[in-house]
Amino acid sequence: MESALLYLLGVVIVLVGLVISIGLHEVGHLVPAKLFGVRVGQYMIGFGRTLFSKRVGETEYGLKMIPLGGYISMAGMFPPERAGGKPRTASTGFFDTMVNDARSAAHEGIPAGEEHRTFYRLPVLKRIVIMLGGPIMNLVLAFVFFGIVLVGFGIPQPSTTIGTVYACIVPAESTQTECTDADPVAPAAEAGLLPGDRLLAIDGRPIEVYTDVSEIVTQAAGRELDFEVLRDGENVSVAVTPLLTERPVFDDDLQPVENPDGSIATQDVGFIGIGYAVQSVQQPVTAVPGYVWDATQRIGYSIVTLPVRVYDLGVSTFGGTERDPEGIIGVVGIGRLAGEITSLETLPVADRAASILGLLGGLNLALFLFNLIPLLPLDGGHVAGAIWEGIRRAFAKLFRRPDPGPVDVARLIPITMAVSGVLAVLTLFVLFSDIVNPISLF
């Protein structure tokens, strides 16, 4: 019963975090729009039937039934078809934009004398600021969530504390799980090193990070080393002689390096047979930008290779194979992962909280990057239209030609509808996959 409640708690936390992220995304559009004088008729979180709304001044604020999207409705989002005509009103939200573009019927009235408060009349730079306000808000949230994880909780790293002492040494290519009489005893076990020992120094050289141990041991095969460790609050000296053995080669991410033929690359090094305990190490604030950048590259690569990942998702979903944990995942899948994390009672509460915050950070980073795609109805599509308008007007001014006027991105309705349809189908497909073949962490 307790596990079920914890699972539900994880789902609720992520759902609330998603709603807050969506709401702040739209605030990122709302604030500059109002600062620049654009008439904003609605600020809504969700889509479908309105559950609650309240008008404050000229803007109606509300919550709709399905809180998985949001929009603000700005007067004159698209210019009139002809000069002097009536501008249409649309929104920054996915579904509302699609409806308004397709029907060209749902629009907000512009009182007489306020025609200048339309979005399309703003200078190009101000329109770009409004449309980028939402994605940038998601980027800020990603920095906040990841910052809390790195600075407040820390990230798991191998420590200088021994977590495992192997009983014997087996060949690098061996798959055996138990020692035999033919296997040599591991030097660490033979010397008396124990799990929980914290490595302080080797031959007088201080040990700051776990890699310091490898640098010394790998070069000292056959030579006795004096290990100083902290055990039960006391400093203890242990003499260990590394054994020359063949070990796998690892890259900077601690992943085995493969030879051209696919086999694991090995090298002859000194080896004592210990594994390091993993602990959360708090990071400085300066580490946050680099962490966000690395996450941006990973998520950006996933977006660029989206067609391939959709194909792989189809193969795993209908072929019954295990899903790629680095593949596409939807809101339902994220909720299930959050539930698994919070219900894992063997994991410390701090680690569970850090994992949930990491999920929300990744979600906001994905929203930031996805909305930059230069296709309507995404924010990037409106930004691309404004940039193209600025280029046209700059060339007209340079060559002393008449002002070509605003770019009517509403003419891209067919493409907008096609993109909207593809996104809707993809959303349903990922939802189906998250239900029938979910990604599981444990």
Side-chain angles (χ1 to χ4, degrees):
M1 181 64 179
E2 184 178 355
S3 295
L5 291 176
L6 288 173
Y7 187 99
L8 180 61
L9 176 63
V11 174
V12 171
I13 290 174
V14 167
L15 181 60
V16 172
L18 176 61
V19 171
I20 292 174
S21 298
I22 291 172
L24 291 178
H25 173 99
E26 297 306 328
V27 168
H29 293 305
L30 177 70
V31 172
K34 283 187 170 290
L35 287 176
F36 296 151
V38 178
R39 182 181 176 84
V40 180
Q42 287 185 317
Y43 168 95
M44 290 289 173
I45 298 177
F47 56 90
R49 188 168 64 88
T50 300
L51 299 178
F52 165 81
S53 70
K54 179 179 178 60
R55 182 169 292 278
V56 179
E58 65 186 14
T59 306
E60 179 188 10
Y61 300 85
L63 178 67
K64 291 183 174 289
M65 180 176 291
I66 305 176
L68 298 179
Y71 66 89
I72 68 168
S73 177
M74 292 185 287
M77 189 81 174
F78 304 111
E81 186 174 358
R82 297 180 179 84
K86 186 175 183 179
R88 287 172 292 175
T89 297
S91 72
T92 60
F94 174 87
F95 290 97
D96 198 67
T97 297
M98 182 174 65
V99 171
N100 281 310
D101 285 352
R103 298 179 180 176
S104 298
H107 61 82
E108 187 177 61
I110 303 175
E114 293 195 0
E115 292 82 2
H116 63 286
R117 297 186 60 197
T118 51
F119 175 80
Y120 83 93
R121 291 179 182 269
L122 289 177
V124 169
L125 183 58
K126 289 186 177 181
R127 275 181 280 160
I128 292 175
V129 169
I130 291 175
M131 298 314 301
L132 287 182
I136 288 177
M137 183 65 78
N138 290 127
L139 180 61
V140 170
L141 288 173
F143 268 91
V144 171
F145 285 127
F146 286 137
I148 294 174
V149 172
L150 267 66
V151 179
F153 293 95
I155 57 176
Q157 291 180 347
S159 67
T160 57
T161 298
I162 297 176
T164 305
V165 177
Y166 301 108
C168 63
I169 295 179
V170 298
E173 69 278 3
S174 175
T175 58
Q176 71 184 68
T177 57
E178 295 183 358
C179 296
T180 67
D181 294 339
D183 298 322
V185 178
E190 186 175 32
L193 287 175
L194 301 175
D197 287 347
R198 184 160 68 88
L199 302 168
L200 302 177
I202 300 178
D203 277 356
R205 174 180 169 181
I207 301 301
E208 302 291 341
V209 293
Y210 77 99
T211 52
D212 292 341
V213 181
S214 299
E215 291 177 4
I216 298 172
V217 170
T218 55
Q219 305 297 323
R223 179 166 62 87
E224 184 178 277
L225 300 174
D226 179 32
F227 277 64
E228 183 182 350
V229 302
L230 181 65
R231 178 184 299 171
D232 297 329
E234 296 182 0
N235 287 12
V236 177
S237 293
V238 180
V240 185
T241 302
L243 182 68
L244 183 64
T245 183
E246 187 181 66
R247 294 288 98 192
V249 178
F250 295 93
D251 59 21
D252 293 337
D253 296 323
L254 300 182
Q255 298 299 314
V257 176
E258 293 186 356
N259 291 315
D261 61 0
S263 61
I264 300 298
T266 61
Q267 61 182 347
D268 291 332
V269 296
F271 186 75
I272 62 173
I274 61 173
Y276 304 98
V278 175
Q279 66 181 21
S280 293
V281 179
Q282 292 179 321
Q283 306 295 307
V285 175
T286 53
V288 178
Y291 189 90
V292 173
W293 172 246
D294 290 340
T296 300
Q297 289 180 304
R298 292 194 301 272
I299 296 175
Y301 179 76
S302 297
I303 293 176
V304 171
T305 59
L306 187 61
V308 175
R309 293 180 181 272
V310 171
Y311 173 79
D312 292 339
L313 180 61
V315 171
S316 62
T317 299
F318 298 107
T321 58
E322 186 176 351
R323 281 178 64 177
D324 179 7
E326 298 294 330
I328 305 173
I329 185 171
V331 174
V332 171
I334 292 175
R336 295 184 70 151
L337 291 181
E340 285 191 18
I341 292 170
T342 54
S343 62
L344 190 64
E345 297 180 11
T346 57
L347 198 66
V349 173
D351 290 347
R352 284 182 269 178
S355 297
I356 295 296
L357 290 173
L359 278 178
L360 292 174
L363 178 62
N364 273 277
L365 201 53
L367 289 173
F368 163 70
L369 292 173
F370 192 75
N371 273 287
L372 293 183
I373 297 175
L375 292 173
L376 292 173
L378 303 173
D379 296 331
H382 292 284
V383 172
I387 292 175
W388 175 239
E389 178 180 319
I391 293 174
R392 289 204 316 166
R393 284 181 161 168
F395 271 97
K397 185 176 181 179
L398 179 64
F399 294 104
R400 299 182 180 179
R401 294 175 181 174
D403 187 338
V407 171
D408 186 9
V409 293
R411 293 182 179 180
L412 300 177
I413 287 176
I415 298 177
T416 302
M417 295 296 289
V419 172
S420 301
V422 169
L423 292 178
V425 171
L426 178 59
T427 300
L428 292 175
F429 175 50
V430 175
L431 173 65
F432 174 77
S433 298
D434 285 342
I435 294 174
V436 303
N437 188 23
I439 293 175
S440 179
L441 292 177
F442 312 106

